[in-house]
Structure formats: C-alpha cells, structure tokens
C-alpha cells in the first residue's frame, strides 16, 4: 500500500509569511507525529496525535507553530510569521498505534527554506 | 533532561568488515530503543526495536544489543556492503512513551 506522503516536497518562503505543510499518513494508522530536522542535527519531536485524544504539543518550539489533524487522518502543520531559523526539513511519521514502541513510518519530508 | 549521544558522527570501513555503532543515553531508563536508517533526502526507515528486557536482537546481518546498566546500545552490521552506506539513527521512547527522542546519527561509509 501507499506510504506516508507529504506535500509540498520543497517550500521557499519569505520571512514573515505563513506556511502550511501537509501529511497524509498510512491508512489505518492512528498515531501521527511531526518532527523537524535541521542541518547536522537529529530529529526534533514537535507534536503527536493519537486517535481522538488531545495532541501532545510539548515539542512545539513557539506559539507560531500549530498543527491539526482532521478526521483522524490528514494533518497540517502551520508555521506563522516564519523566521530564518525555521528553515529545516519537516518530517511526518505515522504508526499503527500510539506509544513509541511501535515502528514509525516516515514520509519523505518537506524542505522549508525561509529567505 | 533526556539525552542521547551517538559517539561517532562518521564511520568509514571496508567492505566485508563489521561496522559497530554506539548509542549512549543519560537521565532516564527507556523501555524501548529503536534503530533507523536514513538515506540522503529521504525519511528514516525502521530497522530494529529492542526492549529493555532483551539483551540482543538480530535481523539478517544486523544485530542490536541493549545494556540498561551501561545505558548503551550497540548496532552491528556484519559483512558490510557499500549499499549499507547511510546515516543510522538511534531513538529512545520518551518518558511518557508517546514519542521518540533521536540521536544525531552516525554516517557510515562502506568502501569497496
């Protein structure tokens, strides 16, 4: 079946603009994660959705970042008033169930460049 | 706070040799540890998961150990091949068990 897909694959924006990044998880996966990977850095956890539970937003770096997951499927990560330090690859992952003992399936990422 | 270190940023070995990558962690005791492979421009791909009560796990040419006393995991690739060249990431469950905390990775290069 289809894997995790993300769009766009690349996004170039100007400082101060808002951006939306989309993630389509694997069908049937109840857990969805967003991570950020900056050059030379490891993956940084941003937010976690599990079913209808309240999301774990503990990794969001500032209130300019928000995410939603509609209908338990597609998720959108929104960054408002982008800054140059937001430039990174944003990765989405899904897993069959919640909790970090489950294998996570990653999408190809969205490379965000803020000029 | 929880901290993960992968000791080598880069490891270069010759084809046929065994590659050994190290992952050390501090400040908590994870119940699970995972290893992922990441190729340039792609998302990570799951390789192996090992639980705290398992000392060793194998999958084909891969072997992972988990020493909760030393707070260390070793990842071995035997009979390495150039196709094994990639970045390998160690990841631990956070204390809430809801997300993974990733190390920065070790980039392995296998030369023929």
């Amino acid at each position: 079946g289809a894997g995790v897909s993300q769009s766009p694959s690349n996004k170039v924006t100007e400082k101060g603009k808002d951006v939306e990044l989309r993630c389509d998880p694997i069908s049937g996966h109840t857990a969805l994660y967003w991570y950020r990977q900056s050059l030379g850095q490891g993956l940084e956890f941003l937010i976690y959705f599990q079913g209808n539970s309240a999301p774990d937003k503990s990794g969001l770096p500032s209130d300019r970042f928000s995410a939603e997951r509609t209908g338990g499927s597609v998720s959108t990560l929104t960054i408002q008033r982008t800054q140059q330090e937001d430039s990174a690859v944003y990765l989405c992952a899904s897993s069959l169930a919640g909790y970090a003992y489950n294998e996570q399936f990653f999408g190809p990422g969205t490379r965000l460049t803020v000029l | 706070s929880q901290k993960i270190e992968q000791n080598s940023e880069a490891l270069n070995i010759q084809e046929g040799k065994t590659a050994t990558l190290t992952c050390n962690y501090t400040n908590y005791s994870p119940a699970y540890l995972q290893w992922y492979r990441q190729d340039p421009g792609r998302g990570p791909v799951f390789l192996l998961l090992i639980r705290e009560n398992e000392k060793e796990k194998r999958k084909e040419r891969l072997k992972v150990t988990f020493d909760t006393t030393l707070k260390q995991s070793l990842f071995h690739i035997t009979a390495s091949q150039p196709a094994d060249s990639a970045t390998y990431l160690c990841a631990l469950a956070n204390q809430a068990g809801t997300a993974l905390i990733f190390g920065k990775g070790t980039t392995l290069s296998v030369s023929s």
Side-chain angles (χ1 to χ4, degrees):
Chain A
V4 176
S5 60
Q6 293 185 246
S7 61
S9 54
N10 281 284
K11 176 72 176 179
V12 180
T13 190
E14 292 181 347
K15 177 181 173 181
K17 301 282 189 182
D18 297 352
V19 295
E20 283 190 353
L21 311 180
R22 177 187 168 106
C23 172
D24 283 86
I26 293 173
S27 177
H29 280 193
T30 63
L32 187 147
Y33 304 82
W34 283 98
Y35 295 89
R36 176 169 71 174
Q37 188 171 34
S38 303
L39 191 63
Q41 300 297 313
L43 274 73
E44 174 189 7
F45 165 74
L46 297 177
I47 189 169
Y48 158 65
F49 295 91
Q50 168 54 35
N52 295 321
S53 302
D56 177 355
K57 304 180 182 180
S58 60
L60 295 179
S62 77
D63 58 8
R64 296 186 296 104
F65 289 72
S66 63
E68 63 176 21
R69 187 177 185 193
T70 54
S73 181
V74 171
S75 178
T76 302
L77 176 69
T78 301
I79 309 173
Q80 296 179 310
R81 304 181 302 282
T82 52
Q83 303 294 312
Q84 288 184 331
E85 59 263 28
D86 298 335
S87 296
V89 176
Y90 289 82
L91 290 157
C92 174
S94 70
S95 63
L96 191 60
Y99 301 106
Y101 52 75
N102 289 290
E103 171 185 354
Q104 294 189 13
F105 295 81
F106 283 82
T110 293
R111 181 174 297 278
L112 176 65
T113 303
V114 182
L115 302 177
Chain B
S1 62
Q2 302 149 354
K3 189 176 178 182
I4 300 172
E5 288 185 355
Q6 293 190 246
N7 286 12
S8 302
E9 286 192 4
L11 180 64
N12 300 304
I13 64 169
Q14 281 196 316
E15 182 175 9
K17 301 291 186 182
T18 296
T20 298
L21 286 64
T22 305
C23 175
N24 294 294
Y25 59 93
T26 57
N27 294 340
Y28 80 129
S29 299
Y32 310 94
L33 187 151
Q34 301 189 24
W35 283 88
Y36 286 77
R37 168 182 173 143
Q38 187 173 25
D39 292 283
R42 294 179 175 270
V45 174
F46 172 81
L47 295 175
L48 282 166
L49 177 146
I50 187 165
R51 293 174 169 78
E52 62 179 341
N53 61 351
E54 296 177 317
K55 297 297 183 187
E56 182 179 296
K57 199 84 170 275
R58 292 176 183 262
K59 179 182 177 182
E60 298 174 350
R61 295 183 296 109
L62 310 179
K63 184 179 85 171
V64 172
T65 63
F66 193 8
D67 189 324
T68 56
T69 301
L70 292 178
K71 294 186 181 294
Q72 181 181 80
S73 175
L74 298 179
F75 177 81
H76 306 273
I77 306 176
T78 58
S80 59
Q81 305 166 359
D84 295 328
S85 299
T87 296
Y88 292 85
L89 305 171
C90 166
L92 306 179
N94 66 1
Q95 287 185 315
T98 53
L100 291 174
I101 303 171
F102 282 84
K104 292 184 179 181
T106 297
T107 298
L108 173 68
S109 296
V110 181
S111 55
S112 55

